[in-house]
Amino acid sequence: YNIAVEMIQLMHAEHLDEVSDIIATQLSVDRSSVNPNTKFSELGADSLDTYLIETVRVYCSYWHLYR
C-alpha cells in the first residue's frame, strides 16, 4: 500500500513540490528521490515515520472533504 501516492493525490497539483519537500526533509533524503511512485519504505521510513505520515494523510483527506 503506497500512501505517498494517495497523499499526493489528495493535494492540489500546486502543492506537490511542497509535500515532496516536506517528506524529503522529514526523512532526511534527497528531494529527487521523492516522487508519487516512491514508497516510504524505499526512503528509509520506519514504523513511527509511517504512522506519522499516515496521520497527516488522514488529516489531509478530512480537510479535502470538508473544506
Side-chain angles (χ1 to χ4, degrees), residues 1-41:
Y1 181 66
N2 191 346
I3 62 175
V5 172
E6 185 176 345
M7 186 172 156
I8 289 172
Q9 288 173 344
L10 290 173
M11 308 303 268
H12 295 289
E14 65 266 17
H15 297 297
L16 179 60
D17 285 335
E18 290 178 51
V19 171
S20 296
D21 288 341
I22 291 168
I23 291 170
T25 300
Q26 292 301 310
L27 297 179
S28 300
V29 297
D30 186 74
R31 167 61 181 85
S32 64
S33 64
V34 180
N35 66 66
N37 297 313
T38 306
K39 295 180 180 178
F40 289 120
S41 60

Side-chain angles (χ1 to χ4, degrees), residues 44-57:
D46 61 19
S47 58
L48 179 58
D49 293 323
T50 303
Y51 170 77
L52 293 173
I53 292 167
E54 175 65 10
T55 302
V56 170
R57 185 198 64 79

